[in-house]
């Protein structure tokens, strides 16, 4: 059996992470057609479809999501091992897996303060929403969105999430009450499909979920769709401050409710004495 080349896997990982052949091409310094060709060859070799082409780029198929998660982990392991061999100082690296939307919206803007406080430490960040294996992935910690309980793991609250309905300004003019909101095109996150029902239940309002609805795989896709005026999304205002301040999105009806899920730093209890984990915990408690 001939396995895919490391080069084709690297190209697939970039295209899947960025959800764009053009952006992957820019990152890898090759042409978009080369990315498309390598992905097509990989799909033929695996005899499965990894991407679905859409107007604004690509999305991953379910098998593509699974493959991406594992390929990304494998590449990260290879890179970390190479770094340690080439530069032993790389052992002062904190390895983590973070929910993608939280990584870009909360963690990344704060990394400068970490670097200023701990200039001798580096962060190796991979993004995922899947369950992590701390042993095989050699992780110090993960940051996940959930209800705070992961069997066998210690969790520390980072951000208490609130949810507010938001949409593009042109759509907001059609929504003046909860009845209008319930009848509007609502955007659903397939990972938490009950969220709209929970939102209306918190307000004590009846809600019948539509049989045909707009579903997306993650918060980034939902935010993009919402910004273009496709529908209404439930978002944490803390994580979309720029869109709200610049009026690219409008909050509806002045409503904000506590979420049933929050963002947590999670790690095995046996790793609590790891120096890297203690460094990151110390920093994040100040932020």
């Amino acid at each position: 059996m001939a396995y895919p080349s490391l080069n084709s896997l690297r190209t697939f990982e970039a295209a899947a992470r960025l959800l764009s052949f053009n952006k992957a091409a820019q990152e890898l310094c090759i042409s978009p057609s080369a990315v498309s060709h390598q992905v097509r060859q990989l799909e033929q070799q695996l005899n499965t479809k990894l991407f679905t082409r859409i107007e604004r780029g690509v999305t991953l198929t379910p098998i593509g999501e699974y493959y991406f998660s594992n390929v990304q982990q494998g590449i990260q392991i290879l890179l970390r091992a190479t770094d340690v061999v080439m530069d032993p100082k790389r052992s002062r690296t904190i390895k983590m897996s973070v929910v993608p939307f939280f990584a870009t919206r909360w963690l990344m803007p704060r990394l400068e303060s970490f670097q200023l406080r701990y200039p001798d430490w580096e962060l190796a960040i991979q993004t995922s929403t899947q369950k992590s294996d701390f042993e095989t992935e050699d992780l110090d910690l993960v940051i996940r969105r959930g209800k705070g309980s992961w069997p066998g793991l210690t969790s520390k609250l980072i951000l208490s999430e609130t949810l507010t309905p938001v949409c593009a300004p042109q759509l907001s003019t059609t929504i003046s009450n909860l009845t209008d909101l319930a009848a509007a095109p609502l955007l659903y996150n397939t990972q938490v499909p009950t969220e709209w029902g929970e939102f209306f239940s918190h307000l004590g309002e009846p809600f019948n979920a539509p049989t045909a609805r707009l579903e997306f795989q993650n918060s980034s896709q939902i935010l993009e769709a919402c910004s273009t005026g496709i529908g209404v999304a439930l978002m944490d205002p803390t994580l979309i401050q720029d869109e709200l301040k610049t009026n690219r999105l409008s909050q509806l009806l002045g409503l904000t409710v506590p979420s049933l899920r929050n963002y947590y730093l999670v790690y095995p209890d046996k790793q609590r004495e790891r120096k890297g984990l203690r460094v990151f915990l110390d920093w994040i408690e100040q932020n």
Side-chain angles (χ1 to χ4, degrees), residues 11-56:
T11 300
F12 164 71
E13 188 277 337
R17 171 168 40 84
L18 299 169
L19 292 177
S20 168
F21 286 6
N22 288 334
K23 291 179 181 178
Q26 293 173 7
E27 180 177 296
L28 299 171
C29 298
I30 59 177
S31 68
S33 62
V35 172
S36 181
H37 176 69
Q38 290 189 38
V39 168
R40 185 165 59 252
Q41 280 193 326
L42 180 61
E43 290 179 325
Q44 290 172 352
Q45 192 170 8
L46 297 174
N47 193 30
T48 190
K49 194 173 179 63
L50 300 171
F51 292 97
T52 299
R53 278 67 173 176
I54 59 176
E55 183 178 351
R56 287 178 166 267

Short mmCIF file of all heavy atoms in Angstrom, two decimals, residues 11-56:
data_model
loop_
_atom_site.label_atom_id
_atom_site.label_comp_id
_atom_site.label_asym_id
_atom_site.label_seq_id
_atom_site.Cartn_x
_atom_site.Cartn_y
_atom_site.Cartn_z
N THR A 11 0.12 20.04 2.61
CA THR A 11 -0.76 20.89 1.80
C THR A 11 -2.21 20.74 2.24
O THR A 11 -2.94 21.72 2.39
CB THR A 11 -0.63 20.52 0.32
OG1 THR A 11 0.72 20.70 -0.10
CG2 THR A 11 -1.54 21.40 -0.54
N PHE A 12 -2.63 19.49 2.48
CA PHE A 12 -3.99 19.26 2.96
C PHE A 12 -4.23 19.94 4.30
O PHE A 12 -5.26 20.58 4.52
CB PHE A 12 -4.25 17.75 3.10
CG PHE A 12 -5.45 17.41 3.94
CD1 PHE A 12 -6.73 17.65 3.48
CD2 PHE A 12 -5.30 16.87 5.22
CE1 PHE A 12 -7.85 17.36 4.27
CE2 PHE A 12 -6.39 16.58 6.01
CZ PHE A 12 -7.67 16.82 5.52
N GLU A 13 -3.26 19.84 5.22
CA GLU A 13 -3.41 20.44 6.55
C GLU A 13 -3.59 21.95 6.45
O GLU A 13 -4.44 22.53 7.13
CB GLU A 13 -2.18 20.10 7.41
CG GLU A 13 -2.29 20.50 8.88
CD GLU A 13 -1.94 21.95 9.16
OE1 GLU A 13 -1.21 22.55 8.34
OE2 GLU A 13 -2.39 22.50 10.18
N ALA A 14 -2.81 22.59 5.60
CA ALA A 14 -2.91 24.05 5.44
C ALA A 14 -4.26 24.43 4.85
O ALA A 14 -4.93 25.36 5.32
CB ALA A 14 -1.78 24.56 4.57
N ALA A 15 -4.70 23.72 3.81
CA ALA A 15 -5.99 24.02 3.17
C ALA A 15 -7.15 23.78 4.12
O ALA A 15 -8.12 24.55 4.16
CB ALA A 15 -6.15 23.18 1.90
N ALA A 16 -7.06 22.72 4.93
CA ALA A 16 -8.14 22.40 5.87
C ALA A 16 -8.18 23.39 7.03
O ALA A 16 -9.24 23.80 7.48
CB ALA A 16 -7.95 20.98 6.41
N ARG A 17 -7.01 23.79 7.51
CA ARG A 17 -6.94 24.74 8.62
C ARG A 17 -7.45 26.11 8.21
O ARG A 17 -8.15 26.80 8.95
CB ARG A 17 -5.51 24.81 9.14
CG ARG A 17 -5.25 25.91 10.15
CD ARG A 17 -3.89 25.73 10.83
NE ARG A 17 -2.85 25.30 9.93
CZ ARG A 17 -2.14 26.12 9.15
NH1 ARG A 17 -2.38 27.42 9.16
NH2 ARG A 17 -1.18 25.65 8.36
N LEU A 18 -7.11 26.54 7.00
CA LEU A 18 -7.48 27.87 6.52
C LEU A 18 -8.79 27.88 5.76
O LEU A 18 -9.35 28.95 5.48
CB LEU A 18 -6.36 28.41 5.60
CG LEU A 18 -4.99 28.58 6.27
CD1 LEU A 18 -3.92 28.84 5.22
CD2 LEU A 18 -5.03 29.70 7.29
N LEU A 19 -9.30 26.68 5.40
CA LEU A 19 -10.52 26.54 4.62
C LEU A 19 -10.46 27.39 3.35
O LEU A 19 -11.43 28.04 2.96
CB LEU A 19 -11.75 26.90 5.46
CG LEU A 19 -12.08 25.93 6.60
CD1 LEU A 19 -13.26 26.40 7.42
CD2 LEU A 19 -12.34 24.52 6.06
N SER A 20 -9.30 27.36 2.72
CA SER A 20 -9.10 28.14 1.50
C SER A 20 -7.87 27.61 0.77
O SER A 20 -6.79 27.55 1.36
CB SER A 20 -8.92 29.62 1.83
OG SER A 20 -8.45 30.34 0.70
N PHE A 21 -8.03 27.26 -0.51
CA PHE A 21 -6.88 26.83 -1.30
C PHE A 21 -5.97 28.02 -1.59
O PHE A 21 -4.75 27.88 -1.64
CB PHE A 21 -7.36 26.21 -2.61
CG PHE A 21 -7.95 24.83 -2.45
CD1 PHE A 21 -8.15 24.27 -1.19
CD2 PHE A 21 -8.31 24.09 -3.56
CE1 PHE A 21 -8.69 23.00 -1.05
CE2 PHE A 21 -8.85 22.82 -3.43
CZ PHE A 21 -9.05 22.28 -2.17
N ASN A 22 -6.55 29.19 -1.79
CA ASN A 22 -5.74 30.38 -2.07
C ASN A 22 -4.86 30.76 -0.88
O ASN A 22 -3.67 31.05 -1.03
CB ASN A 22 -6.64 31.56 -2.45
CG ASN A 22 -7.26 31.41 -3.82
OD1 ASN A 22 -6.70 30.74 -4.69
ND2 ASN A 22 -8.41 32.02 -4.04
N LYS A 23 -5.45 30.76 0.32
CA LYS A 23 -4.67 31.10 1.51
C LYS A 23 -3.60 30.05 1.79
O LYS A 23 -2.50 30.37 2.22
CB LYS A 23 -5.60 31.26 2.72
CG LYS A 23 -6.50 32.49 2.63
CD LYS A 23 -7.41 32.59 3.85
CE LYS A 23 -8.32 33.81 3.76
NZ LYS A 23 -9.25 33.90 4.92
N ALA A 24 -3.94 28.79 1.55
CA ALA A 24 -2.96 27.73 1.73
C ALA A 24 -1.80 27.91 0.76
O ALA A 24 -0.64 27.72 1.13
CB ALA A 24 -3.62 26.36 1.53
N ALA A 25 -2.12 28.30 -0.46
CA ALA A 25 -1.08 28.52 -1.47
C ALA A 25 -0.15 29.65 -1.04
O ALA A 25 1.08 29.55 -1.17
CB ALA A 25 -1.73 28.86 -2.82
N GLN A 26 -0.71 30.72 -0.49
CA GLN A 26 0.10 31.84 -0.03
C GLN A 26 1.01 31.40 1.11
O GLN A 26 2.19 31.77 1.17
CB GLN A 26 -0.81 32.98 0.42
CG GLN A 26 -1.58 33.64 -0.71
CD GLN A 26 -2.60 34.65 -0.21
OE1 GLN A 26 -2.64 34.97 0.98
NE2 GLN A 26 -3.43 35.15 -1.11
N GLU A 27 0.47 30.62 2.05
CA GLU A 27 1.27 30.17 3.20
C GLU A 27 2.40 29.26 2.77
O GLU A 27 3.51 29.32 3.31
CB GLU A 27 0.36 29.46 4.20
CG GLU A 27 1.09 28.95 5.43
CD GLU A 27 0.16 28.30 6.45
OE1 GLU A 27 -0.71 29.02 7.00
OE2 GLU A 27 0.29 27.09 6.68
N LEU A 28 2.12 28.39 1.79
CA LEU A 28 3.10 27.39 1.37
C LEU A 28 3.99 27.88 0.22
O LEU A 28 4.90 27.15 -0.21
CB LEU A 28 2.37 26.11 0.94
CG LEU A 28 1.53 25.41 2.02
CD1 LEU A 28 0.71 24.30 1.41
CD2 LEU A 28 2.42 24.89 3.14
N CYS A 29 3.69 29.09 -0.29
CA CYS A 29 4.47 29.68 -1.39
C CYS A 29 4.40 28.82 -2.65
O CYS A 29 5.42 28.56 -3.33
CB CYS A 29 5.92 29.90 -0.98
SG CYS A 29 6.11 31.06 0.39
N ILE A 30 3.20 28.33 -2.95
CA ILE A 30 2.96 27.61 -4.20
C ILE A 30 1.71 28.20 -4.83
O ILE A 30 1.06 29.08 -4.26
CB ILE A 30 2.80 26.09 -3.97
CG1 ILE A 30 1.63 25.81 -3.02
CG2 ILE A 30 4.09 25.49 -3.44
CD1 ILE A 30 1.37 24.32 -2.79
N SER A 31 1.34 27.74 -5.99
CA SER A 31 0.16 28.28 -6.67
C SER A 31 -1.11 27.61 -6.18
O SER A 31 -1.08 26.45 -5.73
CB SER A 31 0.28 28.08 -8.18
OG SER A 31 0.21 26.70 -8.50
N PRO A 32 -2.26 28.30 -6.26
CA PRO A 32 -3.54 27.68 -5.88
C PRO A 32 -3.83 26.42 -6.69
O PRO A 32 -4.40 25.46 -6.17
CB PRO A 32 -4.57 28.77 -6.17
CG PRO A 32 -3.80 30.05 -6.05
CD PRO A 32 -2.44 29.73 -6.59
N SER A 33 -3.41 26.42 -7.96
CA SER A 33 -3.65 25.22 -8.79
C SER A 33 -2.82 24.04 -8.28
O SER A 33 -3.28 22.89 -8.35
CB SER A 33 -3.31 25.51 -10.25
OG SER A 33 -1.94 25.86 -10.39
N ALA A 34 -1.63 24.33 -7.73
CA ALA A 34 -0.81 23.25 -7.16
C ALA A 34 -1.47 22.67 -5.91
O ALA A 34 -1.46 21.46 -5.70
CB ALA A 34 0.58 23.78 -6.82
N VAL A 35 -2.07 23.55 -5.09
CA VAL A 35 -2.81 23.08 -3.92
C VAL A 35 -3.97 22.20 -4.36
O VAL A 35 -4.18 21.10 -3.84
CB VAL A 35 -3.32 24.26 -3.08
CG1 VAL A 35 -4.25 23.76 -1.97
CG2 VAL A 35 -2.16 25.05 -2.48
N SER A 36 -4.74 22.69 -5.33
CA SER A 36 -5.90 21.94 -5.82
C SER A 36 -5.47 20.59 -6.38
O SER A 36 -6.11 19.57 -6.13
CB SER A 36 -6.62 22.76 -6.90
OG SER A 36 -7.74 22.06 -7.38
N HIS A 37 -4.35 20.58 -7.12
CA HIS A 37 -3.86 19.33 -7.71
C HIS A 37 -3.45 18.33 -6.63
O HIS A 37 -3.81 17.15 -6.72
CB HIS A 37 -2.66 19.65 -8.61
CG HIS A 37 -2.02 18.44 -9.22
ND1 HIS A 37 -2.63 17.66 -10.19
CD2 HIS A 37 -0.81 17.84 -8.97
CE1 HIS A 37 -1.84 16.65 -10.52
NE2 HIS A 37 -0.73 16.74 -9.79
N GLN A 38 -2.72 18.81 -5.61
CA GLN A 38 -2.28 17.91 -4.55
C GLN A 38 -3.45 17.37 -3.75
O GLN A 38 -3.47 16.20 -3.36
CB GLN A 38 -1.29 18.64 -3.63
CG GLN A 38 0.05 18.91 -4.28
CD GLN A 38 1.08 19.43 -3.28
OE1 GLN A 38 1.13 18.99 -2.14
NE2 GLN A 38 1.90 20.36 -3.72
N VAL A 39 -4.44 18.23 -3.49
CA VAL A 39 -5.62 17.77 -2.75
C VAL A 39 -6.39 16.74 -3.57
O VAL A 39 -6.83 15.71 -3.05
CB VAL A 39 -6.53 18.96 -2.39
CG1 VAL A 39 -7.90 18.47 -1.91
CG2 VAL A 39 -5.88 19.83 -1.33
N ARG A 40 -6.52 17.01 -4.87
CA ARG A 40 -7.23 16.06 -5.74
C ARG A 40 -6.52 14.71 -5.77
O ARG A 40 -7.15 13.65 -5.70
CB ARG A 40 -7.36 16.64 -7.14
CG ARG A 40 -8.20 15.78 -8.09
CD ARG A 40 -8.60 16.54 -9.34
NE ARG A 40 -7.43 17.02 -10.08
CZ ARG A 40 -7.05 18.29 -10.14
NH1 ARG A 40 -7.77 19.21 -9.51
NH2 ARG A 40 -5.99 18.64 -10.83
N GLN A 41 -5.19 14.75 -5.87
CA GLN A 41 -4.42 13.50 -5.85
C GLN A 41 -4.59 12.76 -4.53
O GLN A 41 -4.72 11.52 -4.51
CB GLN A 41 -2.93 13.80 -6.09
CG GLN A 41 -2.56 14.04 -7.54
CD GLN A 41 -1.05 14.03 -7.74
OE1 GLN A 41 -0.29 14.46 -6.88
NE2 GLN A 41 -0.61 13.53 -8.89
N LEU A 42 -4.60 13.51 -3.42
CA LEU A 42 -4.77 12.89 -2.11
C LEU A 42 -6.14 12.24 -2.01
O LEU A 42 -6.28 11.12 -1.50
CB LEU A 42 -4.59 13.93 -1.01
CG LEU A 42 -4.74 13.45 0.43
CD1 LEU A 42 -3.69 12.39 0.75
CD2 LEU A 42 -4.61 14.63 1.40
N GLU A 43 -7.18 12.94 -2.47
CA GLU A 43 -8.53 12.38 -2.45
C GLU A 43 -8.61 11.11 -3.29
O GLU A 43 -9.27 10.13 -2.91
CB GLU A 43 -9.54 13.42 -2.94
CG GLU A 43 -9.75 14.57 -1.96
CD GLU A 43 -10.73 15.60 -2.47
OE1 GLU A 43 -10.78 15.84 -3.70
OE2 GLU A 43 -11.47 16.18 -1.64
N GLN A 44 -7.94 11.11 -4.43
CA GLN A 44 -7.94 9.92 -5.28
C GLN A 44 -7.20 8.77 -4.61
O GLN A 44 -7.64 7.62 -4.66
CB GLN A 44 -7.29 10.26 -6.63
CG GLN A 44 -8.12 11.19 -7.50
CD GLN A 44 -7.38 11.66 -8.75
OE1 GLN A 44 -6.18 11.41 -8.92
NE2 GLN A 44 -8.10 12.32 -9.64
N GLN A 45 -6.09 9.11 -3.95
CA GLN A 45 -5.31 8.08 -3.28
C GLN A 45 -6.07 7.46 -2.11
O GLN A 45 -6.00 6.25 -1.87
CB GLN A 45 -3.98 8.67 -2.79
CG GLN A 45 -2.97 7.64 -2.33
CD GLN A 45 -1.61 8.25 -2.08
OE1 GLN A 45 -1.44 9.46 -2.11
NE2 GLN A 45 -0.62 7.41 -1.83
N LEU A 46 -6.82 8.31 -1.40
CA LEU A 46 -7.60 7.83 -0.25
C LEU A 46 -8.96 7.28 -0.67
O LEU A 46 -9.67 6.69 0.15
CB LEU A 46 -7.80 8.98 0.75
CG LEU A 46 -6.55 9.56 1.40
CD1 LEU A 46 -6.91 10.77 2.24
CD2 LEU A 46 -5.85 8.51 2.26
N ASN A 47 -9.31 7.58 -1.91
CA ASN A 47 -10.62 7.15 -2.44
C ASN A 47 -11.78 7.70 -1.61
O ASN A 47 -12.73 7.01 -1.29
CB ASN A 47 -10.71 5.62 -2.50
CG ASN A 47 -11.90 5.15 -3.34
OD1 ASN A 47 -12.31 5.84 -4.29
ND2 ASN A 47 -12.46 4.01 -3.00
N THR A 48 -11.64 8.98 -1.24
CA THR A 48 -12.70 9.63 -0.47
C THR A 48 -12.64 11.13 -0.69
O THR A 48 -11.59 11.68 -1.04
CB THR A 48 -12.56 9.32 1.03
OG1 THR A 48 -13.73 9.76 1.73
CG2 THR A 48 -11.36 10.03 1.64
N LYS A 49 -13.75 11.79 -0.50
CA LYS A 49 -13.84 13.24 -0.68
C LYS A 49 -13.54 13.92 0.64
O LYS A 49 -14.18 13.65 1.65
CB LYS A 49 -15.25 13.61 -1.17
CG LYS A 49 -15.37 15.01 -1.73
CD LYS A 49 -16.77 15.19 -2.34
CE LYS A 49 -16.96 16.60 -2.90
NZ LYS A 49 -16.04 16.91 -3.99
N LEU A 50 -12.55 14.82 0.64
CA LEU A 50 -12.14 15.51 1.86
C LEU A 50 -12.74 16.90 1.98
O LEU A 50 -12.94 17.41 3.08
CB LEU A 50 -10.61 15.61 1.91
CG LEU A 50 -9.85 14.28 1.91
CD1 LEU A 50 -8.36 14.53 1.75
CD2 LEU A 50 -10.14 13.50 3.18
N PHE A 51 -12.99 17.54 0.84
CA PHE A 51 -13.51 18.90 0.82
C PHE A 51 -14.80 18.99 0.02
O PHE A 51 -15.02 18.22 -0.92
CB PHE A 51 -12.50 19.87 0.19
CG PHE A 51 -11.25 20.10 0.98
CD1 PHE A 51 -10.09 19.39 0.70
CD2 PHE A 51 -11.22 21.04 2.00
CE1 PHE A 51 -8.93 19.61 1.43
CE2 PHE A 51 -10.07 21.28 2.73
CZ PHE A 51 -8.92 20.56 2.44
N THR A 52 -15.61 19.98 0.40
CA THR A 52 -16.75 20.37 -0.42
C THR A 52 -16.50 21.79 -0.88
O THR A 52 -16.25 22.68 -0.05
CB THR A 52 -18.07 20.31 0.39
OG1 THR A 52 -18.28 18.96 0.82
CG2 THR A 52 -19.24 20.75 -0.48
N ARG A 53 -16.54 22.02 -2.17
CA ARG A 53 -16.28 23.36 -2.70
C ARG A 53 -17.53 24.22 -2.54
O ARG A 53 -18.64 23.79 -2.85
CB ARG A 53 -15.89 23.31 -4.17
CG ARG A 53 -14.42 22.99 -4.43
CD ARG A 53 -14.06 21.58 -4.02
NE ARG A 53 -12.69 21.23 -4.43
CZ ARG A 53 -12.09 20.10 -4.14
NH1 ARG A 53 -12.74 19.18 -3.42
NH2 ARG A 53 -10.87 19.85 -4.53
N ILE A 54 -17.34 25.45 -2.02
CA ILE A 54 -18.43 26.41 -1.89
C ILE A 54 -17.99 27.72 -2.52
O ILE A 54 -16.85 27.87 -2.92
CB ILE A 54 -18.81 26.63 -0.40
CG1 ILE A 54 -17.60 27.14 0.40
CG2 ILE A 54 -19.38 25.38 0.22
CD1 ILE A 54 -17.93 27.47 1.84
N GLU A 55 -18.91 28.67 -2.59
CA GLU A 55 -18.64 29.92 -3.30
C GLU A 55 -17.45 30.66 -2.72
O GLU A 55 -16.63 31.21 -3.45
CB GLU A 55 -19.88 30.81 -3.27
CG GLU A 55 -19.71 32.11 -4.07
CD GLU A 55 -20.98 32.95 -4.06
OE1 GLU A 55 -22.01 32.47 -3.59
OE2 GLU A 55 -20.90 34.10 -4.54
N ARG A 56 -17.34 30.71 -1.40
CA ARG A 56 -16.30 31.50 -0.76
C ARG A 56 -15.05 30.71 -0.40
O ARG A 56 -14.15 31.22 0.26
CB ARG A 56 -16.85 32.18 0.50
CG ARG A 56 -17.79 33.33 0.19
CD ARG A 56 -18.35 33.92 1.46
NE ARG A 56 -18.99 35.20 1.20
CZ ARG A 56 -18.39 36.37 1.29
NH1 ARG A 56 -17.13 36.44 1.64
NH2 ARG A 56 -19.03 37.49 1.03
#
